[in-house]
Amino acid sequence: MKQGSIRLLSLANLALMVMASGVTVLLPGSDATAQDDNCYMVTSSGRVVSLDKFCGVSKPSTRSNPTSSGTPNVVSSVFQAKIKYRMGKTPVIDVTFNNQQTFEMIVDTGADGTLITRNMARALKLPVTGLGEFEMADGRVIALPMARVQSISVSGAEVRNVEVAIADKTNIGLLGHDFFDRYDVKIKQYVVEFYTR
């Protein structure tokens, strides 16, 4: 479990809850971990009970759980994308454009923008809107055609109205920071998680 802060009730309110419910509450100084900064207590049987409504939390932070098919069942502001495979050590996930077509893309945390292939642009029927200059890892500056997409989505996480670069000499696109900037990203062994900021 992730370490985080625990929001505590006043001792008076906590005592009332203990008397009313007959549960054991971990008080400060006990061994406890918080999950996603929720307000909660642990019963004597080890069950975690949410106290968010007593702590003034408007909605509890819950996670999305992938189904057996790998499709996430999104129930909150955490979105999980199944890692299909890795190119080197870099994850490849499914990314949907304009709510129409899904393509495999590399999760490129070093790319400022999203780059799609010429075949992807054709499949999406994207008109070229101009040229953009990009600095490559080796210092070269190249010009690439640009296009605008209505939306980019990954397992429910979405950004709208994004300008993307189109590359001729690549077989797979790169998902870059124009998508990540709205989410905190955690790359795990089998999934990439996107947390709404």
Side-chain angles (χ1 to χ4, degrees):
M1 282 198 291
K2 181 178 107 175
Q3 290 288 340
S5 61
I6 299 176
R7 296 186 184 102
L8 293 174
L9 296 170
S10 71
L11 289 179
N13 288 340
L14 196 55
L16 287 174
M17 286 188 60
V18 170
M19 286 189 296
S21 62
V23 296
T24 302
V25 178
L26 291 177
L27 296 172
S30 300
D31 288 334
T33 57
Q35 189 172 17
D36 299 328
D37 296 328
N38 282 349
C39 175
Y40 69 94
M41 67 182 177
V42 180
T43 68
S44 58
S45 64
R47 197 178 107 211
V48 176
V49 178
S50 172
L51 300 176
D52 286 340
K53 67 181 180 179
F54 299 106
C55 296
V57 177
S58 59
K59 63 178 183 175
S61 173
T62 55
R63 295 179 179 269
S64 62
N65 296 314
T67 62
S68 58
S69 67
T71 305
N73 176 20
V74 178
V75 293
S76 75
S77 58
V78 178
F79 307 95
Q80 290 184 334
K82 180 182 175 187
I83 296 174
K84 296 182 81 174
Y85 59 94
R86 293 178 187 261
M87 293 188 74
K89 295 184 179 181
T90 309
V92 174
I93 62 173
D94 280 335
V95 179
T96 302
F97 288 82
N98 296 341
N99 295 317
Q100 295 175 358
Q101 296 194 40
T102 301
F103 303 93
E104 290 181 350
M105 295 189 72
I106 297 170
V107 179
D108 190 346
T109 56
D112 288 338
T114 294
L115 180 131
I116 65 172
T117 67
R118 177 64 66 187
N119 289 338
M120 290 169 68
R122 280 193 203 105
L124 292 165
K125 299 180 178 154
L126 297 177
V128 172
T129 57
L131 286 177
E133 289 189 344
F134 298 88
E135 184 173 345
M136 307 308 287
D138 62 6
R140 291 179 300 133
V141 176
I142 62 170
L144 293 174
M146 303 293 293
R148 188 164 295 279
V149 295
Q150 296 168 3
S151 66
I152 302 174
S153 60
V154 176
S155 300
E158 182 178 66
V159 295
R160 298 181 95 33
N161 194 27
V162 181
E163 200 168 38
V164 297
I166 303 169
D168 282 322
K169 298 179 179 178
T170 186
N171 296 326
I172 189 166
L174 305 175
L175 186 65
H177 276 277
D178 48 5
F179 183 84
F180 303 148
D181 279 349
R182 307 199 183 173
Y183 297 93
D184 291 323
V185 181
K186 185 184 286 185
I187 299 174
K188 295 187 169 182
Q189 185 172 0
Y190 300 110
V191 295
V192 177
E193 292 183 338
F194 298 92
Y195 296 79
T196 304
R197 289 184 180 159

